[in-house]
Amino acid sequence: MINVIREPLIFEISSPGKTAVKLPELDVPEKKDLLNGVPVRNDIEGFPEVSETEITRHFTRLSQMNYCVDFGFYPLGSCTMKYNPKVNEKVASMSCFTSSHPLAPEKLVQGNLELMKTLEKLLCEITGMDAVTLQPAAGAHGELTGMMLIRAYHTAHGNPRKYVLIPDSAHGTNPSSAHICGYTVKEIKSSEKGTISVEDLARVMDEEVAALMVTNPNTLGVFESDICQIADIVHAKGGFLYMDGANMNALAGITRPGDMKVDVLHLNLHKTFSTPHGGGGPGSGPVAVKKILEPYLPVPVIEEKDGQYYLNYDRPQSIGRVKSFYGQFLVMLKALAYILALGPKGIREMAEVAVLNSNYIRKSLEGIYHLKYDTPTLHECVFSDKYQKDYGVSNLDIAKRLLDYGLHPPTMSFPLIVHGALMIEPTETESRRDLDLFIEAMKAIDREAKENPELLKSAPHLTYVRRLDEVQAARNPILRWEKKE
Ligand SMILES: *Cc1c(COP(=O)(O)O)cnc(C)c1O
């Protein structure tokens, strides 16, 4: 459990003259101005003065106030917060990788290039696509890259087109990527099953539409089972089918987007292929394409000739560079280590257990929490606060109360088509025991909602920081400590 002591600011611990390190008296002449006249700040007003014990304990305590996947269950839907095996970190921290310079000549980094090529080939096999670029630094960056490929193709064929179709259940990055790429987004409404309606799509699809962006399984966890028919409708008008592959944890090793007639998709190595994420990165969002889009891939492209790997920049139709150097090389290594450790059977089992775990939670909480869509789901399920609302309790109150049970809350209020959403994705790395602890906590919270709703509305009670005014915190952040007189 989180330690509920009030940890002061480091400025408040400070007292004059304390220092972490005491050096012996100088026995050589003191040399001033070591920086040859570069101005140095000798005094920072109010700079904290603390002992080594104090500074160590202060930052250790702060670190323990954080929640992480190494501490416990982290069911943040859509984010695939799986446990990341430590062997990945070991591989990525090997000095042969960390000390190789990104501008080193190709002949000195043949091994690095070979590893990246190997990862590209494995991702092609897993997705059923023809070529991969590893450069994009995140899923959203992959989406933008994918949209740029589509735009480059259409432009080369005489007309970039105007619109990109996106279902109303999509992740917010989808419309932003299409918009940044110069397209106008047309939203398509989900059917009552929570999927794309083939009839609606056929009605809006025309020759001004550059692409349809679909997430499969979608953000409700529902598989778009009409995907091949959807692809045919889009292709018949010369459009492309873009798949947001953030949910590949449900499919990998079982089925392949390439076989579903998808033309381009991004993967999130930091979700599906186990790299720690959250707190801002680093991520990696490779983009996989069919042959038709391959000429437009960003430069450089890793190629092989006579057993030597090299970076090819001579690609006249390329959209250009999207990232410096190789992209997020160490993240690629972690993903490669993970894929090779699991092997084809292991990858399939990963997806199967992810789906099993999610359905175990779904079945255990059905009837207690409201499920707007009754359609079978894969790796995640989306409940809502509809039943608890009768007692004045919202999804926010439920999420905050979960903190008192020592659990990270699910994703809230997304997808937008479910009011008061609680989107739960357990991933395959959770044991039956951990799933049960979460289920018991969710059941207990439902009982509390009926018996003592006030307890939930003022939650959390046991955490270091109580309920925050999030609007105030976002609008008027206090980023500087000022000494109180
Ligand atoms: C996470 C996610 C994205 C964006 O990926 P980032 O790596 O966070 O940029 C896009 N779509 C879906 C469905 C996601 O879950």
Side-chain angles (χ1 to χ4, degrees):
M1 237 356 254
I2 299 152
N3 210 348
V4 197
I5 46 168
R6 196 188 103 72
E7 181 63 20
L9 298 174
I10 193 154
F11 301 96
E12 295 166 335
I13 309 170
S14 171
S15 60
K18 277 198 184 177
T19 163
V21 184
K22 254 210 173 90
L23 298 173
E25 295 270 312
L26 277 182
D27 57 0
V28 290
E30 184 178 351
K31 186 158 170 27
K32 293 229 159 98
D33 195 22
L34 285 166
L35 293 175
N36 285 329
V38 176
V40 181
R41 257 206 314 193
N42 288 315
D43 278 318
I44 303 174
E45 214 191 320
F47 198 72
E49 295 172 85
V50 290
S51 71
E52 181 174 329
T53 325
E54 284 168 333
I55 197 166
T56 305
R57 288 193 180 151
H58 177 69
F59 284 106
T60 304
R61 285 181 186 147
L62 289 186
S63 76
Q64 288 171 346
M65 287 169 199
N66 202 355
Y67 195 95
C68 59
V69 79
D70 284 354
F71 178 89
F73 187 55
Y74 210 129
L76 211 48
S78 212
C79 295
T80 313
M81 304 300 281
K82 60 173 74 180
Y83 174 79
N84 307 293
K86 294 293 170 268
V87 66
N88 300 353
E89 299 299 324
K90 189 116 190 147
V91 168
S93 59
M94 284 163 72
S95 66
C96 54
F97 298 126
T98 54
S99 61
S100 84
H101 194 278
L103 290 176
E106 284 157 10
K107 66 175 189 312
L108 297 182
V109 288
Q110 283 294 306
N112 292 357
L113 298 178
E114 183 179 350
L115 290 176
M116 286 190 284
K117 197 73 209 168
T118 308
L119 179 60
E120 285 183 7
K121 285 181 186 156
L122 289 167
L123 295 179
C124 278
E125 189 177 334
I126 291 169
T127 57
M129 305 296 280
D130 299 323
V132 166
T133 173
L134 298 174
Q135 284 186 36
H141 194 193
E143 291 168 28
L144 177 62
T145 305
M147 283 294 116
M148 288 166 74
L149 299 176
I150 290 171
R151 194 173 182 95
Y153 175 94
H154 285 309
T155 307
H157 289 77
N159 175 8
R161 302 193 172 195
K162 275 209 190 92
Y163 302 105
V164 169
L165 305 178
I166 303 181
D168 53 7
S169 59
H171 194 268
T173 50
N174 291 186
S176 351
S177 303
H179 176 77
I180 289 175
C181 200
Y183 287 114
T184 301
V185 173
K186 270 195 193 168
E187 187 177 273
I188 34 183
K189 294 241 166 309
S190 300
S191 69
E192 73 233 29
K193 286 192 332 201
T195 51
I196 293 176
S197 145
V198 175
E199 292 74 35
D200 274 2
L201 175 66
R203 209 170 36 246
V204 288
M205 185 66 211
D206 63 24
E207 261 130 42
E208 276 303 340
V209 173
L212 166 69
M213 283 182 105
V214 0
T215 308
N216 201 16
N218 67 21
T219 59
L220 295 167
V222 178
F223 187 75
E224 295 282 355
S225 44
D226 295 326
I227 189 75
C228 288
Q229 208 186 335
I230 288 171
D232 290 341
I233 295 171
V234 174
H235 290 157
K237 303 281 182 192
F240 285 103
L241 181 58
Y242 182 99
M243 184 175 129
D244 177 332
N247 292 340
M248 274 299 284
N249 216 47
L251 307 181
I254 300 173
T255 183
R256 310 192 306 168
D259 302 336
M260 300 170 202
K261 307 186 186 181
V262 166
D263 302 297
V264 42
L265 86 150
H266 78 260
L267 299 164
N268 305 60
L269 296 188
H270 48 289
K271 292 179 182 173
T272 315
F273 299 104
S274 90
T275 299
H277 58 296
S284 179
V287 171
V289 295
K290 288 278 175 60
K291 278 242 149 25
I292 183 170
L293 289 172
E294 195 177 352
Y296 306 96
L297 285 178
V299 286
V301 170
I302 305 166
E303 287 177 16
E304 190 193 345
K305 200 176 167 200
D306 306 328
Q308 290 288 306
Y309 293 92
Y310 65 101
L311 297 170
N312 187 0
Y313 288 87
D314 183 21
R315 312 246 320 165
Q317 289 180 284
S318 165
I319 58 166
R321 257 201 181 281
V322 298
K323 180 82 178 79
S324 49
F325 309 123
Y326 307 151
Q328 309 277 34
F329 180 58
L330 298 179
V331 177
M332 297 168 202
L333 287 179
K334 293 179 199 184
L336 180 62
Y338 180 73
I339 293 170
L340 292 176
L342 261 61
K345 274 205 189 126
I347 296 276
R348 186 185 174 103
E349 200 180 337
M350 158 194 110
E352 286 171 346
V353 177
V355 173
L356 179 66
N357 279 356
S358 163
N359 278 285
Y360 182 70
I361 289 179
R362 176 176 163 161
K363 286 291 154 198
S364 306
L365 294 178
E366 247 174 34
I368 300 169
Y369 288 87
H370 174 249
L371 258 185
K372 178 169 172 191
Y373 295 95
D374 197 25
T375 324
T377 44
L378 299 181
H379 68 303
E380 61 196 356
C381 52
V382 182
F383 288 102
S384 86
D385 59 11
K386 191 169 182 212
Y387 300 152
Q388 289 71 28
K389 266 275 150 74
D390 291 346
Y391 307 95
V393 168
S394 71
N395 60 344
L396 180 71
D397 303 326
I398 295 165
K400 293 293 182 195
R401 184 63 177 153
L402 271 169
L403 299 174
D404 285 337
Y405 285 86
L407 293 163
H408 195 286
T411 294
M412 277 172 43
S413 309
F414 174 76
L416 303 177
I417 54 174
V418 178
H419 197 262
L422 289 161
M423 181 197 216
I424 302 167
E425 180 184 10
T427 84
E428 72 284 2
T429 57
E430 298 310 311
S431 64
R432 168 89 184 262
R433 180 174 171 272
D434 280 318
L435 298 176
D436 283 337
L437 282 174
F438 173 75
I439 291 162
E440 286 317 311
M442 288 293 282
K443 287 181 175 168
I445 291 170
D446 170 60
R447 287 193 298 274
E448 288 170 349
K450 291 170 190 145
E451 289 157 13
N452 189 1
E454 289 312 314
L455 181 73
L456 302 195
K457 284 194 255 180
S458 51
H461 303 278
L462 301 175
T463 51
Y464 176 72
V465 178
R466 302 283 299 273
R467 190 170 305 201
L468 297 170
D469 182 340
E470 286 163 11
V471 176
Q472 178 77 355
R475 296 242 168 106
N476 298 308
I478 301 169
L479 302 175
R480 235 172 226 283
W481 181 76
E482 272 170 38
K483 195 168 184 163
K484 290 185 200 88
E485 294 310 326

